[in-house]
Amino acid sequence: EVQLVESGGGLVQPGGSLRLSCVASGFTFENYWMTWVRQAPGKGLEWVANIKHDGSEKSCVDSVKGRFTVSRDNAKNSLYLQMNSLRAEDTAVYYCARDMDGDWDAVDIWGQGTMVTVSS
Amino acid sequence: QSALTQPPSASGSPGQSVTISCTGTSSDVGGYNYVSWYQQHPGKAPKLMIYGVYKRPSGVPDRFSGSKSGNTASLTVSGLQGDDEADYYCSSYAGTNTDVFGTGTKVTVL
């Protein structure tokens, strides 16, 4: 079964750091671009960052540039999101997602999400 | 990287059709044929319904269809069913390996 399982969410104070992890199974992880998407409570989806198969290319939304870093370890079938200098507005469910095979720029597999709460 | 614009809500009776618009700019929706649509039920992860403007993933009913004209993409759900009641989000490639989502539309089946 194709699956993505996130972990690492929790409560953190403003200015703090958190590292999210996502373990993939059921597919050849190293062949796919991967993406992080977040959703603030009661709000819409927001694209956060993505990373190429081999980690050689990464992009992120302007609001997290300089604070968040996406990375991957293909040997461990794992995707990561290092989040520093966290702000209240970063509070959200963070989804790990797999980009579709082929150059379609769409996400076909989603994890269940992990909640990040930034509050004092 | 401004969110694409969708109407907050849309509704229809069972069996009817509803169409949701997704308006962007020439830098995203209008510039690429990489528009996708996602369905999200409360408390659940999103599900891909349409990709490449009009293509359906395996398992998605043909009641769901997509199109695009200029800077506006559209999702039409025909033959509305109770389970179609959900939030729908469009997404588009926005250049330099970035994507942008729409503001979301809540579809209600009356």
Side-chain angles (χ1 to χ4, degrees), chain B residues 87-106:
Chain B
D87 293 326
Y88 291 82
Y89 296 90
C90 61
S91 175
S92 173
Y93 182 66
T96 54
N97 292 330
T98 66
D99 291 337
V100 60
F101 279 97
T103 50
T105 298
K106 181 177 180 59

Side-chain angles (χ1 to χ4, degrees), chain A residues 39 57 62 104-105 107, chain B residues 1 34 38 40 55 97 99:
Chain A
Q39 186 169 35
E57 295 181 35
D62 286 347
W104 293 111
D105 202 65
V107 169
Chain B
Q1 292 176 329
Y34 294 138
Y38 301 88
Q40 187 181 34
K55 299 178 185 299
N97 292 330
D99 291 337

